[in-house]
Amino acid sequence: MAKNCNFIEKLRELGLRPTKQRVKICEALFNREKTFHFTINDLVKMISQEMNEKISLATVYNTVHAFEKKGYLKQISINSDKSYFDTNTSAHHHFYDEDTNELIDCNENDIDSINVKKNITGKKISSVEVLVRVASDNQTQKKFN
Amino acid sequence: MAKNCNFIEKLRELGLRPTKQRVKICEALFNREKTFHFTINDLVKMISQEMNEKISLATVYNTVHAFEKKGYLKQISINSDKSYFDTNTSAHHHFYDEDTNELIDCNENDIDSINVKKNITGKKISSVEVLVRVASDNQTQKKFN
DNA sequence: CAACAGTTTAGAATTATTATAATGTATATT
DNA sequence: AATATACATTATAATAATTCTAAACTGTTG
Ligand SMILES: [Mn+2]
Ligand SMILES: [Mn+2]
Ligand SMILES: [Zn+2]
Ligand SMILES: [Zn+2]
């Protein structure tokens, strides 16, 4: 979804009615230079605090899932309870900082391409994703006595 | 946690009191040949239906998390709403069958070892996990007209 | 300008998870 | 051995996350 422009037209092209809720959500998500990661709660806060708008939580869920289905958002697997979404929809891997709960994108050349040798009969690979968990160096120090 | 034996002793060694709830949960999880993947709900059903025992849902959560913290269970990241646990605590990768919602372990040699070139300053890698999503071959066929 | 057929929103319901008050257990003290 | 005390554990109650669905909206047709 292109930056900084006519979301009304874009939404129509996707077969979604350009309601004011959806346009607001588009502005929050796509009107920026860089892609980013967010939770539904992050997004609701952004909309209510920064944009000073009230959209029902259920509507935010609806819209985010609609955008995901259309391929404009990706859902990212992290343990924990949090479900992250990603405005970077290209195939890419992630670092997850366990201290700060922050997701960081990997570049093309941060990780060599994955070689999957096994294949499951009758099944096709639909994605291969790596999650690298990182934590502060002094985290897992064991005691010596 | 060793198969088919004295869970009471094992639990004591871990510093956990061998309550009847915990022993039951051990039996459900560790008294078997192969490792497996389960959700909290799977486990509650196993206990209530197959073992004909009633343990409060909160206690199952408590116990599973206690075992996880002690390193006898691992939590697995899958999108969706489901949180899976794994009795296979060795470092290993997974296939996820999107049709059946089934998790399948990768063997050592199903995927070449991952080469992470980037590193985040002040952070240490605590795990590197690959998730290979698979789906039925005829799933994502696009229409041609 | 109705009437109708979707679509979309958002409050209500459900499901998942966690906090905590009540209960149980081990150990120390008599 | 009985009782007191501290701590561990359970499970109900509270909260948080997600989905269901009835009401509101919008676009189309006659
Ligand atoms: Mn989804
Ligand atoms: Mn946990
Ligand atoms: Zn990303
Ligand atoms: Zn596994």
Side-chain angles (χ1 to χ4, degrees):
Chain A
M1 214 170 290
K3 322 268 178 288
N4 201 356
C5 66
N6 197 342
F7 292 119
I8 293 178
E9 208 38 58
K10 286 283 172 198
L11 283 165
R12 280 221 186 81
E13 282 168 24
L14 296 179
L16 297 172
R17 285 191 191 154
T19 62
K20 84 179 169 32
Q21 291 90 338
R22 282 172 176 166
V23 172
K24 271 284 168 231
I25 291 171
C26 279
E27 284 169 3
L29 293 179
F30 303 114
N31 218 351
R32 48 177 79 211
E33 278 308 307
K34 297 188 175 222
T35 63
F36 76 117
H37 306 107
F38 65 95
T39 66
I40 295 281
N41 255 321
D42 295 340
L43 181 52
V44 169
K45 264 184 208 149
M46 283 166 52
I47 291 165
S48 75
Q49 290 174 9
E50 296 171 30
M51 308 181 79
N52 212 47
E53 199 84 10
K54 153 83 186 168
I55 301 178
S56 143
L57 185 54
T59 299
V60 176
Y61 272 95
N62 286 339
T63 304
V64 164
H65 282 141
F67 291 172
E68 183 201 8
K69 199 176 311 179
K70 297 286 180 183
Y72 289 92
L73 289 175
K74 255 187 9 172
Q75 201 165 5
I76 306 294
S77 347
I78 302 294
N79 272 355
S80 107
D81 339 293
K82 284 188 181 171
S83 185
Y84 289 86
F85 288 85
D86 197 339
T87 63
N88 178 355
T89 55
S90 72
H92 66 285
H93 306 306
H94 289 97
F95 286 84
Y96 181 66
D97 186 331
E98 294 179 323
D99 304 320
T100 62
N101 279 23
E102 200 186 357
L103 263 181
I104 303 160
D105 278 356
C106 286
N107 290 332
E108 193 66 50
N109 35 21
D110 289 339
I111 292 181
D112 286 338
S113 91
I114 309 302
N115 184 18
V116 180
K117 294 162 175 172
K118 181 181 185 180
N119 75 329
I120 315 243
T121 42
K123 303 283 174 176
K124 224 181 50 178
I125 291 178
S126 56
S127 74
V128 178
E129 279 174 24
V130 180
L131 184 68
V132 180
R133 283 165 197 283
V134 301
S136 179
D137 236 336
N138 47 35
Q139 197 77 331
T140 335
Q141 280 177 351
K142 299 270 162 55
K143 276 196 300 193
F144 278 109
N145 57 64
Chain B
M1 215 170 289
K3 322 267 178 289
N4 199 357
C5 67
N6 196 341
F7 293 119
I8 293 178
E9 208 38 59
K10 286 283 171 198
L11 284 164
R12 279 219 187 81
E13 283 167 25
L14 295 180
L16 298 172
R17 285 191 192 155
T19 63
K20 82 177 170 31
Q21 290 91 340
R22 281 172 177 166
V23 171
K24 271 285 167 229
I25 291 172
C26 279
E27 285 170 2
L29 292 180
F30 303 115
N31 216 351
R32 48 176 82 210
E33 278 308 307
K34 298 187 176 220
T35 63
F36 76 116
H37 307 105
F38 65 95
T39 66
I40 295 281
N41 255 321
D42 295 340
L43 181 53
V44 168
K45 266 184 206 151
M46 284 167 50
I47 292 165
S48 75
Q49 291 174 7
E50 296 171 30
M51 310 181 78
N52 212 47
E53 198 86 10
K54 154 80 185 170
I55 302 178
S56 143
L57 184 55
T59 300
V60 177
Y61 272 96
N62 286 340
T63 304
V64 164
H65 282 140
F67 291 171
E68 184 201 7
K69 200 177 308 179
K70 297 288 180 181
Y72 289 93
L73 289 175
K74 255 186 13 174
Q75 201 165 4
I76 306 294
S77 349
I78 302 295
N79 272 354
S80 106
D81 340 293
K82 284 189 182 172
S83 185
Y84 288 87
F85 289 87
D86 196 339
T87 63
N88 178 356
T89 55
S90 71
H92 66 284
H93 306 306
H94 289 97
F95 286 84
Y96 182 66
D97 186 330
E98 294 180 324
D99 304 318
T100 64
N101 278 23
E102 201 185 358
L103 262 183
I104 303 161
D105 277 358
C106 285
N107 290 331
E108 192 66 52
N109 34 22
D110 289 340
I111 292 181
D112 286 338
S113 91
I114 310 302
N115 183 19
V116 180
K117 292 163 175 171
K118 180 182 186 180
N119 75 328
I120 315 242
T121 41
K123 303 283 174 176
K124 222 182 51 179
I125 291 178
S126 56
S127 75
V128 179
E129 279 173 25
V130 180
L131 184 67
V132 181
R133 284 165 197 282
V134 300
S136 179
D137 236 336
N138 47 34
Q139 197 77 332
T140 335
Q141 281 176 349
K142 299 270 161 58
K143 277 196 297 193
F144 279 107
N145 56 62

